[in-house]
Coordinates of all heavy atoms in Angstrom, one line a residue:
A182 N 204.6 108.0 185.4 CA 203.3 108.0 185.2 C 202.6 108.2 186.5 O 203.0 107.7 187.6 CB 202.8 106.7 184.6
K183 N 201.4 108.9 186.5 CA 200.7 109.2 187.6 C 199.2 108.7 187.4 O 198.7 109.1 186.3 CB 200.8 110.6 188.1 CG 200.4 111.0 189.2 CD 200.7 112.5 189.4 CE 200.3 113.0 190.8 NZ 200.6 114.4 191.1
P184 N 198.6 107.9 188.4 CA 197.2 107.6 188.2 C 196.2 108.9 188.1 O 196.4 109.9 188.7 CB 197.0 106.7 189.3 CG 198.0 106.9 190.2 CD 199.2 107.5 189.6
L185 N 195.3 108.8 187.2 CA 194.3 109.7 187.2 C 192.8 109.2 187.1 O 192.7 108.2 186.3 CB 194.6 110.5 185.8 CG 193.9 111.7 185.4 CD1 194.2 112.8 186.4 CD2 194.3 112.3 184.0
A186 N 191.9 109.7 187.8 CA 190.6 109.2 187.9 C 189.7 110.3 187.4 O 189.7 111.4 187.9 CB 190.1 108.9 189.3
I187 N 189.0 110.0 186.3 CA 188.0 111.0 185.7 C 186.8 110.4 185.3 O 186.6 109.3 184.9 CB 188.8 111.5 184.3 CG1 190.2 112.0 184.6 CG2 187.8 112.6 183.6 CD1 190.8 112.4 183.3
T188 N 185.6 111.1 185.7 CA 184.4 110.8 185.3 C 184.1 111.3 183.9 O 184.1 112.6 183.7 CB 183.4 111.1 186.2 OG1 183.7 110.7 187.7 CG2 181.9 110.7 186.0
V189 N 183.7 110.3 183.1 CA 183.2 110.7 181.7 C 181.8 110.2 181.3 O 181.3 109.4 182.0 CB 184.3 110.1 180.6 CG1 185.7 110.7 180.8 CG2 184.2 108.5 180.8
R190 N 181.2 110.9 180.4 CA 179.9 110.5 180.0 C 179.8 110.7 178.5 O 180.3 111.7 178.0 CB 178.9 111.3 180.6 CG 177.4 110.8 180.4 CD 176.5 111.6 181.2 NE 176.5 111.0 182.6 CZ 176.4 111.6 183.8 NH1 176.1 112.9 183.7 NH2 176.6 111.1 184.9
G191 N 179.0 109.9 177.8 CA 178.7 110.1 176.3 C 178.1 108.8 175.8 O 177.8 107.7 176.6
P192 N 177.8 108.8 174.5 CA 177.0 107.9 173.9 C 177.7 106.5 173.5 O 178.9 106.7 173.2 CB 176.5 108.6 172.7 CG 177.5 109.6 172.2 CD 178.0 110.1 173.6
L193 N 177.1 105.5 173.4 CA 177.6 104.3 173.1 C 176.7 103.7 171.9 O 175.4 103.7 171.9 CB 177.4 103.2 174.2 CG 177.6 101.7 173.7 CD1 179.0 101.5 173.6 CD2 177.0 100.8 174.7
R194 N 177.2 103.5 170.6 CA 176.4 103.1 169.6 C 176.8 101.8 169.0 O 178.2 101.5 169.0 CB 176.6 104.2 168.4 CG 176.0 105.5 168.8 CD 176.1 106.5 167.7 NE 177.5 106.7 167.3 CZ 177.8 106.7 166.1 NH1 177.1 106.7 165.1 NH2 179.1 106.9 165.7
F195 N 176.0 101.0 168.4 CA 176.3 99.8 167.7 C 176.2 100.0 166.3 O 175.1 100.5 165.8 CB 175.4 98.7 168.2 CG 175.8 98.2 169.7 CD1 174.8 98.9 170.6 CD2 176.6 97.4 169.9 CE1 175.0 98.6 171.9 CE2 176.7 97.1 171.2 CZ 176.0 97.6 172.3
L196 N 177.3 99.9 165.5 CA 177.3 100.1 164.0 C 176.8 99.0 163.3 O 176.8 98.0 163.7 CB 178.8 100.7 163.7 CG 179.3 101.9 164.5 CD1 180.6 102.1 164.1 CD2 178.3 103.1 164.3
P197 N 176.4 99.2 162.0 CA 175.8 98.1 161.1 C 176.9 97.0 161.0 O 176.4 95.9 160.8 CB 175.5 98.8 159.9 CG 175.3 100.2 160.2 CD 176.2 100.5 161.3
D198 N 178.1 97.2 161.0 CA 179.0 96.2 160.8 C 179.5 95.4 162.0 O 180.3 94.7 162.1 CB 180.3 96.7 160.0 CG 181.0 97.6 160.8 OD1 180.7 98.0 161.9 OD2 182.1 98.2 160.3
G199 N 178.8 95.8 163.1 CA 179.0 95.1 164.4 C 180.0 95.7 165.3 O 180.2 95.3 166.5
R200 N 180.6 96.9 164.9 CA 181.5 97.6 165.8 C 180.7 98.4 166.8 O 179.6 98.8 166.7 CB 182.4 98.7 165.0 CG 183.2 98.0 164.0 CD 184.0 99.1 163.2 NE 183.1 99.9 162.4 CZ 183.3 101.0 161.8 NH1 184.5 101.7 162.0 NH2 182.5 101.8 161.1
I201 N 181.3 98.6 167.8 CA 180.9 99.5 169.0 C 181.7 100.8 169.0 O 182.9 100.8 169.0 CB 181.1 98.8 170.4 CG1 180.3 97.5 170.4 CG2 180.6 99.8 171.5 CD1 180.6 96.6 171.7
A202 N 180.9 101.9 168.9 CA 181.5 103.2 169.0 C 181.2 103.9 170.3 O 180.1 104.0 170.6 CB 181.1 104.0 167.7
I203 N 182.2 104.4 171.0 CA 182.1 105.1 172.2 C 182.7 106.5 172.1 O 183.8 106.5 171.5 CB 182.8 104.5 173.4 CG1 182.2 103.0 173.5 CG2 182.5 105.1 174.6 CD1 182.9 102.0 174.5
A204 N 182.0 107.6 172.4 CA 182.6 108.9 172.4 C 182.2 109.7 173.9 O 181.0 109.9 174.1 CB 181.9 109.7 171.2
V205 N 183.2 109.7 174.5 CA 182.9 110.3 176.0 C 183.8 111.7 176.2 O 184.8 111.8 175.6 CB 183.2 109.3 177.0 CG1 182.2 108.0 177.0 CG2 184.7 108.9 177.0
A206 N 183.3 112.4 177.2 CA 184.1 113.6 177.6 C 183.9 113.7 179.1 O 182.9 113.1 179.7 CB 183.4 114.8 176.8
N207 N 184.9 114.4 179.8 CA 184.8 114.7 181.2 C 183.6 115.4 181.5 O 183.2 116.4 180.8 CB 186.2 115.2 181.7 CG 186.5 116.6 181.1 OD1 186.6 116.6 179.8 ND2 186.9 117.5 181.9
V208 N 182.9 115.2 182.7 CA 181.8 115.8 183.2 C 182.1 116.8 184.2 O 181.2 117.6 184.7 CB 180.7 114.8 183.6 CG1 180.2 114.0 182.5 CG2 181.3 114.0 184.9
A209 N 183.4 117.0 184.7 CA 183.8 118.0 185.7 C 185.1 118.5 185.3 O 185.9 117.7 184.7 CB 183.6 117.3 187.2
D210 N 185.4 119.6 185.8 CA 186.9 120.1 185.8 C 187.9 119.1 186.2 O 187.6 118.4 187.2 CB 187.1 121.5 186.4 CG 186.3 122.6 185.7 OD1 186.0 122.5 184.6 OD2 186.2 123.6 186.4
V211 N 189.0 118.8 185.5 CA 189.9 118.0 186.0 C 191.3 118.8 186.5 O 192.0 119.3 185.6 CB 190.4 117.0 184.9 CG1 191.5 116.0 185.4 CG2 189.3 116.2 184.5
P212 N 191.5 118.8 187.8 CA 192.5 119.7 188.3 C 193.9 118.8 187.9 O 193.9 117.6 188.2 CB 192.4 119.8 189.8 CG 191.5 118.7 190.1 CD 190.7 118.4 188.9
L213 N 195.0 119.5 187.7 CA 196.2 118.9 187.3 C 197.3 119.7 188.0 O 197.4 120.9 187.7 CB 196.6 118.7 185.8 CG 195.6 118.0 184.9 CD1 195.9 118.0 183.5 CD2 195.7 116.4 185.5
D214 N 198.1 119.0 188.9 CA 199.3 119.9 189.4 C 200.6 119.2 188.9 O 200.7 117.9 189.1 CB 199.2 119.8 190.9 CG 198.0 120.4 191.5 OD1 197.6 121.5 191.0 OD2 197.3 119.9 192.5
V215 N 201.4 119.8 188.4 CA 202.7 119.4 187.9 C 203.9 120.0 188.6 O 203.9 121.2 188.7 CB 202.9 119.8 186.4 CG1 204.3 119.1 185.9 CG2 201.8 119.2 185.5
N216 N 204.7 119.2 189.4 CA 205.9 119.7 190.2 C 207.0 119.7 189.2 O 207.3 118.6 188.5 CB 206.0 118.7 191.4 CG 204.8 119.0 192.4 OD1 204.4 120.1 192.6 ND2 204.5 117.9 192.8
I217 N 207.8 120.8 189.2 CA 209.0 120.7 188.3 C 210.2 120.9 189.4 O 210.2 121.8 190.1 CB 208.9 122.0 187.4 CG1 207.6 121.9 186.6 CG2 210.2 122.4 186.6 CD1 207.3 123.2 185.8
S218 N 211.3 120.1 189.1 CA 212.4 120.4 189.9 C 213.6 120.0 188.9 O 213.5 119.1 188.0 CB 212.3 119.5 191.0 OG 212.3 118.1 190.7
G219 N 214.8 120.5 189.2 CA 215.9 120.4 188.4 C 217.0 121.1 189.1 O 216.8 122.0 190.1
P220 N 218.3 121.1 188.6 CA 219.4 121.8 189.1 C 219.0 123.3 189.1 O 218.9 123.9 187.9 CB 220.5 121.4 188.1 CG 220.2 120.2 187.5 CD 218.7 120.1 187.4
G221 N 219.0 124.0 190.2 CA 218.7 125.5 190.2 C 217.3 125.7 189.9 O 217.1 127.0 189.9
I222 N 216.3 125.0 189.9 CA 214.9 125.3 189.4 C 214.1 124.4 190.2 O 214.3 123.2 190.4 CB 214.7 125.2 187.9 CG1 213.3 125.7 187.6 CG2 214.8 123.8 187.4 CD1 213.0 125.9 186.3
A223 N 213.0 125.0 190.7 CA 211.9 124.2 191.4 C 210.6 125.0 191.3 O 210.6 126.3 191.3 CB 212.3 123.9 192.9
G224 N 209.5 124.4 191.2 CA 208.3 125.1 191.2 C 207.1 124.1 190.7 O 207.3 122.9 190.9
A225 N 206.0 124.7 190.5 CA 204.8 123.9 190.3 C 203.9 124.7 189.3 O 204.0 125.9 189.2 CB 204.0 123.6 191.6
V226 N 203.1 123.9 188.5 CA 202.3 124.4 187.6 C 200.9 123.9 187.9 O 200.7 122.6 188.1 CB 202.6 124.0 186.1 CG1 201.3 124.4 185.2 CG2 203.9 124.5 185.8
H227 N 199.9 124.8 188.3 CA 198.5 124.3 188.6 C 197.6 124.6 187.5 O 197.6 125.8 187.1 CB 198.1 125.0 189.9 CG 199.1 124.7 191.1 ND1 199.2 123.7 191.7 CD2 200.0 125.7 191.6 CE1 200.2 123.9 192.6 NE2 200.6 125.1 192.6
M228 N 197.0 123.7 186.9 CA 196.1 123.9 185.7 C 194.8 123.0 185.9 O 194.8 122.2 186.8 CB 196.8 123.7 184.5 CG 197.4 122.4 184.3 SD 198.4 122.2 183.0 CE 199.6 121.0 183.4
A229 N 193.8 123.2 185.0 CA 192.6 122.3 185.0 C 192.2 122.2 183.6 O 192.3 123.0 182.8 CB 191.6 122.9 185.8
V230 N 191.7 120.9 183.3 CA 191.1 120.7 182.0 C 189.8 120.8 182.2 O 189.1 120.3 183.1 CB 191.3 119.2 181.7 CG1 190.5 118.9 180.3 CG2 192.8 118.9 181.4
P231 N 189.1 121.9 181.5 CA 187.7 122.2 181.7 C 186.7 121.1 181.4 O 187.0 120.3 180.6 CB 187.4 123.5 180.9 CG 188.4 123.3 179.7 CD 189.6 122.7 180.4
V232 N 185.4 121.2 181.8 CA 184.4 120.3 181.5 C 184.4 120.1 179.9 O 184.4 121.2 179.3 CB 183.1 120.7 182.0 CG1 181.9 119.9 181.4 CG2 183.0 120.8 183.4
G233 N 184.4 119.0 179.5 CA 184.3 118.7 178.0 C 185.6 118.8 177.3 O 185.7 118.6 176.1
G234 N 186.6 119.1 177.9 CA 188.0 119.4 177.3 C 188.6 118.3 177.0 O 189.6 118.2 176.3
L235 N 188.4 117.1 177.8 CA 189.1 115.9 177.6 C 188.1 115.0 176.8 O 187.1 114.5 177.4 CB 189.5 115.3 178.9 CG 190.3 114.1 178.9 CD1 191.7 114.2 179.5 CD2 189.7 112.7 179.4
K236 N 188.4 114.5 175.6 CA 187.5 113.6 174.8 C 188.2 112.3 174.4 O 189.5 112.4 174.3 CB 187.1 114.5 173.7 CG 186.2 115.7 174.0 CD 185.8 116.4 172.8 CE 185.1 117.6 173.3 NZ 184.9 118.6 172.3
L237 N 187.5 111.3 174.5 CA 187.9 110.1 174.2 C 187.0 109.4 173.2 O 185.8 109.4 173.5 CB 188.1 109.2 175.4 CG 188.6 107.8 175.3 CD1 190.0 107.8 174.7 CD2 188.5 107.0 176.5
Q238 N 187.5 108.9 172.0 CA 186.6 108.1 171.2 C 187.3 106.8 170.9 O 188.4 106.7 170.6 CB 186.5 109.0 169.7 CG 185.7 110.2 170.0 CD 185.6 111.0 168.6 OE1 186.2 110.7 167.7 NE2 184.5 111.7 168.5
L239 N 186.4 105.8 171.0 CA 187.0 104.4 170.6 C 186.0 103.6 169.8 O 184.7 103.8 169.9 CB 187.0 103.6 172.0 CG 187.9 104.1 173.2 CD1 187.6 103.4 174.5 CD2 189.3 104.0 172.8
V240 N 186.5 102.9 168.9 CA 185.6 102.2 167.9 C 186.4 100.8 167.9 O 187.5 100.7 167.5 CB 185.7 102.8 166.5 CG1 184.9 101.9 165.5 CG2 185.1 104.1 166.6
S241 N 185.6 99.8 168.1 CA 186.1 98.3 168.1 C 186.2 97.9 166.7 O 185.6 98.5 165.7 CB 185.0 97.5 168.9 OG 183.9 97.4 168.1
P242 N 187.0 96.8 166.5 CA 187.1 96.3 165.1 C 185.7 95.6 164.7 O 185.0 95.4 165.5 CB 188.1 95.1 165.2 CG 188.8 95.4 166.6 CD 187.8 96.1 167.4
P243 N 185.5 95.7 163.2 CA 184.2 95.0 162.8 C 184.1 93.6 163.0 O 185.3 93.0 163.1 CB 184.4 95.4 161.3 CG 185.8 95.6 161.0 CD 186.4 96.0 162.3
L244 N 182.8 93.1 163.3 CA 182.7 91.7 163.7 C 182.3 91.0 162.4 O 182.4 89.8 162.4 CB 181.5 91.6 164.7 CG 182.0 92.2 166.1 CD1 180.8 92.2 167.2 CD2 183.1 91.5 166.6
R245 N 181.7 91.8 161.4 CA 181.2 91.1 160.2 C 181.6 92.0 159.0 O 181.3 93.1 159.2 CB 179.8 90.5 160.3 CG 178.9 91.7 160.6 CD 177.5 91.2 160.8 NE 176.7 92.3 161.1 CZ 176.3 92.5 162.4 NH1 176.7 92.0 163.4 NH2 175.6 93.6 162.7
G246 N 181.8 91.4 157.9 CA 181.8 92.1 156.6 C 183.1 92.8 156.4 O 183.2 93.8 155.6
G247 N 184.1 92.7 157.2 CA 185.4 93.5 156.9 C 186.6 92.6 157.6 O 186.4 91.7 158.1
A248 N 187.8 93.2 157.2 CA 189.0 92.5 157.6 C 189.2 92.8 159.1 O 188.8 93.8 159.6 CB 190.3 93.1 156.8
R249 N 189.8 91.8 159.7 CA 189.9 91.8 161.2 C 191.4 92.0 161.5 O 192.2 91.7 161.0 CB 189.5 90.6 161.9 CG 187.9 90.5 161.8 CD 187.6 89.2 162.6 NE 186.1 89.1 162.4 CZ 185.4 88.3 163.0 NH1 185.8 87.7 164.1 NH2 184.1 88.2 162.8

């Protein structure tokens, strides 16, 4: 695993059943460099996730009126 720092932005909503819904996306390109090595092979892949290409949606469990 490799640490990754990304700036995201998006709305936060409070739903009627008490859940919090968050939907965010990256606000800048995210460069990714992957090094490849093995017996008889070595190299690297340089790529980028474009703005808005990385999306994250989170919804908390309901606080009232539903199973927890």
Side-chain angles (χ1 to χ4, degrees):
K183 194 173 186 180
L185 188 62
I187 302 170
T188 301
V189 296
R190 184 170 290 143
L193 166 83
R194 296 182 301 136
F195 294 94
L196 304 176
D198 63 0
R200 293 181 296 163
I201 297 172
I203 302 169
V205 296
N207 57 311
V208 297
D210 289 348
V211 179
L213 296 173
D214 295 324
V215 179
N216 295 315
I217 302 168
S218 63
I222 187 170
V226 176
H227 306 288
M228 57 187 152
V230 178
V232 171
L235 187 126
K236 296 179 180 166
L237 177 65
Q238 293 184 336
L239 300 168
V240 178
S241 70
L244 295 177
R245 56 183 177 267
R249 291 185 190 197

